[in-house]
């Protein structure tokens, strides 16, 4: 990490605010379903509705918010989402105290909060380049990516602990406080954003939204990187779904050990974030993205090789997730930083929104694929198929990226058409 980034107080404040909101938002993915179960004795379908309500907004609001962000400064929108997110969470303890909390309210809060999270995650990506020098962008994204990966793994468990220690209302209140503190920290950022150049003429909404997708499709390198992200996420979710079934039901390891093997992947993520800053200078972008995706795609091959509930199996699986976390983090750092460097500022919101939609859209379908493979072929065979599909997707990517021109990362952004 460069000394400039260490001394950049505005980036440090932004980073802390992102840590707080990430912890709060990912904790709620566990807290809301538990609230439905424990407070309302909700049916499995109702619990599923609560869980889905947090993710549906990604498909509903993402593209529209990208267009919004390309017409105005990003920090005010990010501040709004922090304050509004805290206020949305406060509804739960307030109505609980008044004995007016109902499952319908929980549905509404989950959807509203999920919408704000979807907006904030796109906004943060569009805002980041205005806080750091271009030469520090890889390091900055690496710090954010490492924290994001760690939070995704650890925060749901934290949500369960908060429910155990503080009860449902206390857990949600803690999330609200984290959001409001994050807003206060973000207010203290002093660096001004560069002026946002809105289009000289107002186009149809569909045309403006399409501009982000058109830019991604017109840039061969970005098209290749985001296409691989979508395929990887699709097959990865199938693999992770089957891993849970295979480890717990077939091999028979305890839930605690199962969680430990996945959580250790965060170690790989932290190492990947540290390594990313040096990797591009030493090996070049093309070699780095191919090597990192190779590690992330091949590491899960170790999982179905082990079939006995022994310490050796747990060690092998833990090593697999460490390697997987390392490779995936390095790839994500370079994929994101490359997109940020090549995208004109006036399109950053829409391009980030389109990227998020394409990359995260396949997650739910991948889960269904994993369930289908397990039902048809059994957990272990289904896991082998999912892993083979991950490897096949990597081979396709390696061949494609070799033929893809890599532009000068330090030249002017590609002009939008």
């Amino acid at each position: 990490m460069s000394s400039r980034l260490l001394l950049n107080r505005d980036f440090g404040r932004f980073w802390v605010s992102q840590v707080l909101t990430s912890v709060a938002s990912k904790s709620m993915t566990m807290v809301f379903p538990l609230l439905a179960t424990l407070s309302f004795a909700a049916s499995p379908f109702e619990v599923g509705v609560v869980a889905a309500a947090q993710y549906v907004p990604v498909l509903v609001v993402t593209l529209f918010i990208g267009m919004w962000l390309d017409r105005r400064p990003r920090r005010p929108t990010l501040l709004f989402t922090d304050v509004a997110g805290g206020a949305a969470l406060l509804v739960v303890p307030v109505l609980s105290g008044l004995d007016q909390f109902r499952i319908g309210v929980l549905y509404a809060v989950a959807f509203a909060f999920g919408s704000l999270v979807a907006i904030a995650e796109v906004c943060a990506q569009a805002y980041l380049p205005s806080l750091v020098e271009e030469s520090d962008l890889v390091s900055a994204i690496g710090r954010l990516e490492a924290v994001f990966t760690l939070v995704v793994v650890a925060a749901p468990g934290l949500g369960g602990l908060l429910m155990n220690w503080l009860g449902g209302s206390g857990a949600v209140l803690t999330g609200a406080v984290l959001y409001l503190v994050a807003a206060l920290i973000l207010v203290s950022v002093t660096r001004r954003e560069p002026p946002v150049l809105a289009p000289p003429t107002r186009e149809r909404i569909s045309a403006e939204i399409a501009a982000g997708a058109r830019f991604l499709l017109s840039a061969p390198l970005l098209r290749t990187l985001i296409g691989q992200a979508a395929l990887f996420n699709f097959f990865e979710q199938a693999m992770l779904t089957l891993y849970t079934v295979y480890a717990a039901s077939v091999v028979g390891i305890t839930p605690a050990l199962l969680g430990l093997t996945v959580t250790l992947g965060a170690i790989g993520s932290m190492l990947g974030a540290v390594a990313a800053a040096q990797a591009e200078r030493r090996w070049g972008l093309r070699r780095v993205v191919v090597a990192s995706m190779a590690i992330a795609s091949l590491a899960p091959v170790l999982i179905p090789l082990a079939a006995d509930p022994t310490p050796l199996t747990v060690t092998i699986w833990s090593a697999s997730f460490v390697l997987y976390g390392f490779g995936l983090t390095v790839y994500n750092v370079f994929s994101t930083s490359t997109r940020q460097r090549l995208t004109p500022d006036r399109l950053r919101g829409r391009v980030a929104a389109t990227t998020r939609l394409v990359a995260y859209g396949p997650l739910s379908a991948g889960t269904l694929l994993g369930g289908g493979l397990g039902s048809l072929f059994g957990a272990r065979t289904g896991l082998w198929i999912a892993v083979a599909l991950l490897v096949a997707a990597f081979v396709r990517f390696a061949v494609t990226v070799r033929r893809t021109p890599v532009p000068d990362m330090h030249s002017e952004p590609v002009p939008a058409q």
Side-chain angles (χ1 to χ4, degrees), residues 50-375:
V50 171
Q54 299 176 76
Y55 296 111
V56 168
V58 172
L59 303 176
V60 176
V61 307
T62 299
L63 294 179
F64 292 97
I65 198 60
M67 182 184 67
W68 166 276
L69 291 170
D70 284 336
R71 289 184 170 274
R72 50 192 47 81
R74 286 77 187 242
R75 190 176 76 133
T77 302
L78 200 55
L79 277 170
F80 168 78
T81 60
D82 287 352
V83 174
L89 293 179
L90 282 174
V91 168
V92 172
V94 169
L95 291 185
S96 294
L98 297 173
D99 199 25
Q100 296 297 313
F101 188 40
R102 304 288 184 268
I103 194 166
V105 174
L106 184 57
Y107 292 155
V109 169
F111 181 81
F113 184 68
S115 299
L116 292 165
V117 171
I119 293 169
E121 290 181 347
V122 173
C123 188
Q125 289 193 18
Y127 178 48
L128 173 61
S130 67
L131 290 175
V132 300
E133 301 298 328
E134 183 178 328
S135 58
D136 294 329
L137 194 57
V138 170
S139 294
I141 292 172
R143 287 189 67 183
L144 289 171
E145 187 66 34
V147 170
F148 178 77
T149 305
L150 180 61
V151 167
V152 165
V153 172
L158 175 62
L161 291 174
L162 289 174
M163 285 283 292
N164 186 58
W165 296 335
L166 305 175
S169 294
V172 179
L173 179 60
T174 301
V177 170
L178 290 177
Y179 258 80
L180 296 176
V181 171
L184 289 175
I185 293 173
L186 193 59
V187 166
S188 68
V189 172
T190 58
R191 184 164 180 168
R192 291 176 176 241
E193 292 182 70
V196 177
L197 301 176
T201 57
R202 192 172 184 86
E203 302 180 57
R204 296 192 313 273
I205 290 176
S206 59
E208 292 197 32
I209 291 175
R214 191 164 58 247
F215 177 83
L216 279 176
L217 291 175
S218 68
L221 180 59
L222 298 184
R223 185 172 65 239
T224 299
L225 292 174
I226 191 60
Q228 175 59 18
L231 280 176
F232 182 88
N233 287 342
F234 180 50
F235 297 133
E236 173 208 40
Q237 283 302 302
M239 180 272 293
L240 291 174
T241 299
L242 287 165
Y243 171 65
T244 301
V245 176
Y246 176 65
S249 301
V250 178
V251 178
I253 69 169
T254 65
L257 287 176
L258 172 61
L260 177 64
T261 60
V262 178
T263 301
L264 286 175
I267 296 175
S269 298
M270 300 298 288
L271 295 174
V274 173
Q278 302 297 325
E280 184 183 24
R281 287 192 290 271
R282 184 168 299 179
W283 293 297
L285 176 66
R286 196 193 308 269
R287 290 181 180 177
V288 170
V289 294
V290 170
S292 59
M293 183 50 66
I295 294 170
S297 301
L298 295 174
V301 172
L302 297 173
I303 295 173
L305 288 174
D308 300 311
T310 63
L312 178 60
T313 293
V314 174
T315 301
I316 291 173
W317 288 350
S318 298
S320 173
F321 279 103
V322 169
L323 291 170
Y324 158 87
F326 177 87
L328 188 57
T329 298
V330 173
Y331 182 85
N332 285 342
V333 167
F334 280 95
S335 179
T336 304
S337 62
T338 300
R339 189 186 74 240
Q340 296 281 32
R341 288 168 169 175
L342 294 181
T343 304
D345 185 69
R346 65 184 179 277
L347 283 174
R348 277 202 173 111
R350 281 169 284 178
V351 170
T354 304
T355 300
R356 181 171 175 77
L357 185 66
V358 172
Y360 289 96
L363 293 179
S364 56
T367 302
L368 294 175
L369 173 65
L373 290 173
S375 298

